[in-house]
Amino acid sequence: ANGFSCSRNRGGIFADWQARAQTGAGPIDLTLVEAGARLAADVERASLGPIRTQGWGGRAVFVEASRVGGGGPGGPDPVGAAARARLARISEQLSADTVSLLLALCIEGETLAGLAQRFGLSEGAMRVNARDALRALSRVDASGIGADARHH
């Protein structure tokens, strides 16, 4: 794992799954926990809050919250730029609903009941959708590993 813990947000179902996966007793495995933790870390590294906005065509896109261009007093930020590139790839490859669910799950620390209410599903259906969203995120991560390595 990368050391990021969603428990610093509000806890929620992802933090519970993360703790249970450490012992092998959870509904998701460590690969999916790591994908969610990477998303949260990328959002943090890109100087983003849990923010998304509608782009052209109705797709959810990530928007930089505090700075434009990834620079700052110290100049360009290659770590932030790589994180922003991964977030852009996620926005391009996953549906707006999946991105919204992942943000609520991994960044906002929403509870299962809160997710179910927010997305209008039963808790059982929400559990399945959350796992599926993490699987999709993991696939996007896996598809971009080579591209990310070339940018460093």
Side-chain angles (χ1 to χ4, degrees):
N2 61 15
F4 184 86
S5 171
C6 278
S7 63
R8 64 189 244 173
N9 292 316
R10 282 192 332 225
I13 191 64
F14 184 73
D16 176 58
W17 287 356
Q18 187 176 32
R20 291 169 59 195
Q22 300 294 327
T23 65
I28 62 173
D29 62 26
L30 286 174
T31 301
L32 300 184
V33 166
E34 289 169 358
R38 262 191 307 277
L39 172 65
D42 281 344
V43 168
E44 186 173 291
R45 284 185 194 115
S47 297
L48 297 173
I51 296 172
R52 71 176 186 339
T53 188
Q54 289 296 113
W56 292 104
R59 293 192 57 85
V61 294
F62 290 96
V63 175
E64 206 169 345
S66 65
R67 56 189 180 181
V68 176
D77 174 14
V79 172
R84 284 187 295 282
R86 285 188 297 275
L87 294 175
R89 190 174 59 248
I90 290 165
S91 290
E92 291 167 3
Q93 293 184 21
L94 299 179
S95 72
D97 287 342
T98 300
V99 170
S100 294
L101 173 54
L102 288 166
L103 290 172
L105 181 67
C106 302
I107 311 297
E108 298 169 21
E110 189 66 73
T111 64
L112 184 61
L115 288 171
Q117 181 179 6
R118 185 171 174 173
F119 290 94
L121 298 170
S122 70
E123 288 187 21
M126 189 74 260
R127 187 177 291 113
V128 170
N129 280 314
R131 278 193 305 247
D132 288 347
L134 287 167
R135 285 184 185 118
L137 177 62
S138 182
R139 285 191 299 272
V140 171
D141 278 356
S143 72
I145 289 173
D148 289 343
R150 286 192 295 273
H151 291 331
H152 292 233

